[in-house]
Amino acid sequence: MNNYTIIKIVFRGKSIKLTSYFIISVLVLDKLKEYVKDNKDDIVSDLRSLIKHPSVSAQGIGIDECAGVLNSIMRDAGLESRIIRIENGNPIVYGEVKGKKGSKTILFYGHYDVQPAEPLDAWRYNPFSGIVTDDKIYGRGSADSKGNVIAIVKAIKAILELYDELPVNVKVLIEGEEEISSVNLPVFVEKNKDMLNADACVCFDGSLNPSGSPNIFAGLKGLLYVELRCKTAMVDMHSSLAPLVHNAAWILVKALNSIKKDGKIAIPNWYDGVKVPSKKDLELLENLDYDLESIKSSYGVKEFIGDVKGKAALKRLLFEPTCNIAGIYAGYVASGSKTVLPSEAYAKIDFRLVYDQNPDMLLNKLKKYLKDEGYDNIDVIKLGSLEPSKTDPSENIVKCTQDAARKVYGKEPSLFPNSWASGPDYVFTKILKIPSVWTGCSPANANIHAPNEFTSISNVLDGICYISSIMQEFSTYK
C-alpha cells in the first residue's frame, strides 16, 4: 500500500483530507509539464534525429548508425549508457541510473528498429524526414516506437534536471530487433539476468486508445512467423503447359486454404495449449469500454468478420489465436500481361498465439500437417517467434501505471488482460520472472506499419510526464 501522511485542510468552510503524497505528486507533475513545455524544441529535435536515421531491421538498413545516435541521446540525458554488440544480431543500447538509496528498480524496455517503409509511393512525405506539420511528426518509427523511446529517455533527463535524483533505480534496455521478432533478445536476457534484475518492467511500446487515454496491457499474444516456399520446376514456363505441369501458385493456394476452415485453424491439436480467457480475464473484459468501431472508420472497413460487435468482438480480438497471410508472391505481378506458369511461389504467414501456446511446438505441428496432407514440395522456414506472456493485474506495477495514467491524462485508462498484438514481454515474465506491463504514448490509429506513420508533439510531451509519474508512483508502493 502507499506510504503517506494524512493532512487535513479547510477549504471554503469544509474539512478536506489530503495525503502528503498526493500534494507532492501534483506539484511534481505540474513542474514536469512546465519543464517539457520549456524544452519542447530539444525533445522534438532528438526525436526527429532518430527518425531521420533509418533503422530497418528486416532489411539491415542503418541499424548501427541509429544505435549510435540513441546512445548519445541517452548519455546526454544522464544515463550511464553503452552499446552492447550482439553476435550475428543488432546491437542493444543499455543504460542505468541509480535512484534514491534503498529504492526499487524499474526496467524500461523499448526498441529503436522500425518496419520497412514500402510502399514508398504511398507516403505523403519522405518516410525518413521526420517532417513536422500541424503538431504531427511524420516518419517511419515516429509512433512505433521512437516517440516512446524518446519519452523514456527525456523523462529521466527531466527528473534529474529538476530534482537531481530519480525516485527509483532505472535500467533502460532498447533493442534493435523487435520488428523481426526479437530473435536474439531471449538469449541476451538469459545471459544477463543479474545486470537486468529489477522489481518490475515497463514495456513502453504501446499507444493510446481512441478516447485519448493509455492502453495498459497485462499480457501479450505470442507470434510464429513463417514463410512457405513451393517449387515445382527449375524455371517459369509458358502457361500453355498448364495441362501437364504443376503450377506452384495453385499448390501453395490450396495448402493455405487447407490451414483455415470455417474461421478456425484446422491443424490438429493447434489449440491444445490455450489457457485463456480465465475468470479474471473475463472480469476485466466486462469492465472495458473500448471503441473498436473506430477501426472501421480509420481503415475504411465496412464490417468485421461475421459482423461481430461489442464485447464479443473484443473477446475474439484478445483471446483467439490467428492465422494471417501477410504476403503472397508467384509468377508475374508487374503491369500488363505475361502468360507464365510459375515454378515457384512464396507466402508469409503470421500466427498470433495466446497464453500458453508454444511457438516451437506449433511449428512442428504445421510442418507435420503439410507433410501429412501431401504437400511434400512446400518448405516451411521459420522467420521469428515470440511466446505469449501474462502478468497478474493486481501487481503493483499495473496499479502504479493506472494511477500515473489517471493523473497525467485525466481519464480512466483501458486495462486489458491481454493484447491483440505481440512483443517480447515473455523474456521479462518468464526469464527474469518479474511482473511486466505494456503501455505507451503513441496516438491511436497512427498508421503503424503503414505509410504515413505519425506521432504528435503533444503525445510525446505527455508521454514524458507519464513515464515520470510511473516512476514516482512505483516509488511509493510497498
Side-chain angles (χ1 to χ4, degrees):
M1 61 183 291
N2 288 331
N3 183 20
Y4 49 69
T5 303
I6 301 296
I7 299 173
K8 185 180 289 186
I9 64 172
V10 177
F11 179 69
R12 292 182 180 177
K14 294 182 178 180
S15 178
I16 303 172
K17 291 183 179 180
L18 294 176
T19 65
S20 58
Y21 166 70
F22 176 82
I23 294 171
I24 292 169
S25 65
V26 169
L27 292 175
V28 168
L29 184 56
D30 286 345
K31 206 168 182 180
L32 278 166
K33 288 181 177 179
E34 184 179 344
Y35 174 93
V36 297
K37 183 179 178 181
D38 292 342
N39 290 273
K40 180 178 72 173
D41 290 345
D42 170 67
I43 294 163
V44 172
S45 176
D46 280 347
L47 175 53
R48 294 189 68 207
S49 180
L50 274 187
I51 295 170
K52 288 178 180 180
H53 282 81
S55 47
V56 187
S57 49
Q59 300 169 343
I61 297 173
I63 296 295
D64 286 347
E65 294 84 352
C66 188
V69 171
L70 176 58
N71 189 46
S72 297
I73 293 172
M74 288 173 62
R75 287 183 175 181
D76 175 70
L79 287 100
E80 293 182 9
S81 175
R82 67 188 189 275
I83 295 174
I84 303 176
R85 300 290 170 183
I86 305 296
E87 185 178 358
N88 300 318
N90 297 339
I92 284 172
V93 186
Y94 178 77
E96 294 184 1
V97 180
K98 295 290 185 183
K100 292 180 180 179
K101 186 177 180 181
S103 59
K104 291 174 286 189
T105 301
I106 297 181
L107 172 64
F108 287 105
Y109 163 85
H111 66 94
Y112 65 85
D113 67 316
V114 301
Q115 285 278 335
E118 286 80 359
L120 298 178
D121 59 359
W123 282 81
R124 196 173 299 122
Y125 309 105
N126 182 321
F128 299 107
S129 65
I131 192 168
V132 178
T133 176
D134 296 329
D135 186 55
K136 291 182 179 179
I137 305 173
Y138 285 89
R140 177 55 85 229
S142 53
D144 185 20
S145 189
K146 292 178 178 180
N148 284 316
V149 168
I150 285 294
I152 296 171
V153 177
K154 294 299 184 179
I156 293 168
K157 183 176 183 178
I159 296 179
L160 288 176
E161 290 190 355
L162 289 172
Y163 301 103
D164 295 326
E165 66 177 353
L166 301 181
V168 292
N169 301 311
V170 165
K171 299 178 179 182
V172 178
L173 188 164
I174 313 295
E175 69 156 322
E177 297 180 337
E178 195 274 344
E179 299 294 5
I180 53 172
S181 304
S182 302
V183 287
N184 288 293
L185 187 62
V187 173
F188 175 81
V189 172
E190 185 69 48
K191 289 182 177 179
N192 294 278
K193 285 182 179 179
D194 291 340
M195 181 181 78
L196 299 172
N197 184 45
D199 294 291
C201 179
V202 174
C203 298
F204 209 66
D205 183 27
S207 60
L208 309 181
N209 61 44
S211 73
S213 64
N215 294 321
I216 300 172
F217 299 101
L220 267 77
K221 283 187 175 182
L223 179 73
L224 173 62
Y225 201 116
V226 300
E227 181 173 284
L228 303 188
R229 298 180 182 178
C230 180
K231 186 176 179 67
T232 56
M234 291 189 298
V235 293
D236 290 352
M237 290 162 277
H238 195 288
S239 65
S240 64
L241 296 175
L244 301 177
V245 180
H246 286 296
N247 183 312
W250 275 120
I251 293 172
L252 183 61
V253 168
K254 288 177 182 178
L256 292 172
N257 193 52
S258 75
I259 291 174
K260 278 188 73 174
K261 295 177 182 177
D262 300 323
K264 295 290 185 179
I265 299 168
I267 299 170
N269 305 314
W270 191 265
Y271 294 85
D272 284 358
V274 175
K275 296 180 180 176
V276 292
S278 66
K279 185 178 178 180
K280 277 188 178 181
D281 292 335
L282 293 175
E283 288 173 356
L284 274 181
L285 181 68
E286 284 305 311
N287 294 324
L288 273 169
D289 183 19
Y290 191 80
D291 181 20
L292 289 177
E293 294 300 306
S294 66
I295 294 174
K296 296 178 183 177
S297 57
S298 296
Y299 296 103
V301 177
K302 291 184 178 180
E303 64 180 17
F304 294 141
I305 296 171
D307 201 27
V308 66
K309 294 181 175 70
K311 287 290 195 295
L314 194 55
K315 184 178 179 181
R316 178 186 293 182
L317 185 66
L318 297 180
F319 301 121
E320 284 195 11
T322 69
C323 173
N324 173 66
I325 300 173
I328 302 178
Y329 177 86
Y332 181 72
V333 294
S335 61
S337 63
K338 180 182 180 183
T339 51
V340 63
L341 191 158
S343 61
E344 295 180 285
Y346 306 88
K348 295 183 186 292
I349 305 176
D350 63 77
F351 296 92
R352 301 283 171 174
L353 318 179
V354 297
Y355 205 82
D356 198 19
Q357 291 181 298
N358 182 284
D360 291 329
M361 291 177 62
L362 295 180
L363 177 64
N364 290 333
K365 290 178 181 180
L366 172 63
K367 290 179 177 179
K368 183 179 184 302
Y369 173 76
L370 291 174
K371 185 176 180 180
D372 291 347
E373 292 294 307
Y375 296 107
D376 293 327
N377 51 2
I378 293 182
D379 292 326
V380 181
I381 295 92
K382 177 183 172 182
L383 298 181
S385 67
L386 297 164
E387 293 185 32
S389 176
K390 278 186 78 65
T391 288
D392 191 320
S394 65
E395 287 283 352
N396 282 346
I397 191 61
V398 179
K399 294 178 180 178
C400 291
T401 304
Q402 287 179 282
D403 289 345
R406 293 184 187 107
K407 285 184 172 67
V408 173
Y409 294 92
K411 300 176 180 179
E412 187 65 24
S414 298
L415 175 59
F416 292 86
N418 196 39
S419 170
W420 51 90
S422 304
D425 193 49
Y426 77 97
V427 302
F428 310 115
T429 59
K430 292 183 178 180
I431 298 177
L432 292 183
K433 299 187 184 306
I434 59 176
S436 177
V437 66
W438 202 280
T439 190
C441 63
S442 297
N445 305 322
N447 296 327
I448 289 173
H449 293 200
N452 303 310
E453 180 181 352
F454 70 92
T455 189
S456 74
I457 295 173
S458 57
N459 277 107
V460 176
L461 300 187
D462 286 344
I464 294 169
C465 295
Y466 185 25
I467 283 287
S468 303
S469 295
I470 291 172
M471 288 189 274
Q472 183 70 30
E473 294 293 328
F474 195 64
S475 71
T476 67
Y477 272 72
K478 289 187 176 180

